[in-house]
Amino acid sequence: MYRATYDYYTAEKQHMERIEKELAARSAEKLAADEEAARLSFQRIMEKYKQHEASHKRIPNEKRYSEFLCISELMREYTALHNGKITISAEEGGLGVIEMSFDYVIHSELDSSHSHRLLGLLFRKYEQTNIFAVDGCVVIQVFQELYDEINTDSQSNGNSPAE
């Protein structure tokens, strides 16, 4: 018989406590240096973001938008069956977000395969899917870009648009 327990939660918690102790023990000079480094790092990130925004154009993708709304409706029905809460937002040419929360999900033999298919579809279709627990609830979040991006710099050079 093989029996093992792996407690990654406690190990991560202890690791974070050590980091917090190190951060709390920093001198004023070290704190000022860290804040300056963080400010410069954020400034570099913002410059790269602005360069990207200036050289790319968003084009609404109607197919992604309509598929997202269809899957959102399936998730709404699933959430209603399990007495959960769902928030859906979708902007054509923008971002689509689904957020579902459940106190619990109980499956009978009849609806477990339905849940497996629906949640499997969700995880296969959308890469940006998060599952986590908050205040005793299970939360599932889905994010999807409902647009295509083309590089405006490449068009002026005669190259084909990039996605």
Side-chain angles (χ1 to χ4, degrees):
M1 178 171 115
Y2 177 77
R3 183 181 179 119
T5 301
Y6 301 96
D7 186 0
Y8 299 108
Y9 174 78
T10 302
E12 184 65 22
K13 188 175 176 183
Q14 290 170 348
H15 179 70
M16 291 306 292
E17 286 173 357
R18 284 193 301 272
I19 290 172
E20 287 175 7
K21 284 179 186 176
E22 290 175 12
L23 291 174
R26 293 181 296 175
S27 66
E29 297 82 24
K30 178 68 175 156
L31 184 60
D34 288 347
E35 287 178 0
E36 179 63 19
R39 186 187 66 74
L40 290 173
S41 177
F42 181 73
Q43 186 177 1
R44 283 192 301 272
I45 290 169
M46 288 306 297
E47 287 171 2
K48 287 181 182 179
Y49 173 77
K50 288 176 183 175
Q51 287 172 353
H52 179 80
E53 286 295 307
S55 65
H56 289 77
K57 181 180 177 184
R58 291 182 179 179
I59 298 174
N61 186 319
E62 291 180 29
K63 182 180 177 191
R64 281 190 202 162
Y65 182 71
S66 63
E67 284 178 356
F68 186 82
L69 292 180
C70 288
I71 289 178
S72 296
E73 179 60 22
L74 291 173
M75 292 301 117
R76 187 197 62 74
E77 292 171 6
Y78 179 82
T79 305
L81 285 173
H82 296 285
N83 300 318
K85 179 181 177 183
I86 186 167
T87 304
I88 302 167
S89 66
E91 181 182 347
E92 196 169 1
L95 188 66
V97 179
I98 302 171
E99 184 172 316
M100 301 178 286
S101 63
F102 305 94
D103 288 335
Y104 57 87
V105 177
I106 298 175
H107 292 122
S108 67
E109 287 184 28
L110 296 174
D111 66 354
S112 67
S113 64
H114 178 253
S115 291
H116 292 165
R117 279 194 308 272
L118 278 178
L119 295 175
L121 170 68
L122 194 70
F123 295 129
R124 279 195 319 265
K125 183 94 177 136
Y126 302 114
E127 294 176 5
Q128 297 176 338
T129 303
N130 304 317
I131 301 176
F132 54 93
V134 175
D135 298 329
C137 292
V138 175
V139 178
I140 301 173
Q141 289 180 332
V142 177
F143 301 94
Q144 175 66 23
E145 295 171 344
L146 304 175
Y147 56 86
D148 293 322
E149 256 186 16
I150 60 168
N151 188 339
T152 55
D153 289 343
S154 67
Q155 285 183 339
S156 62
N157 295 336
N159 296 335
S160 63
E163 271 190 52

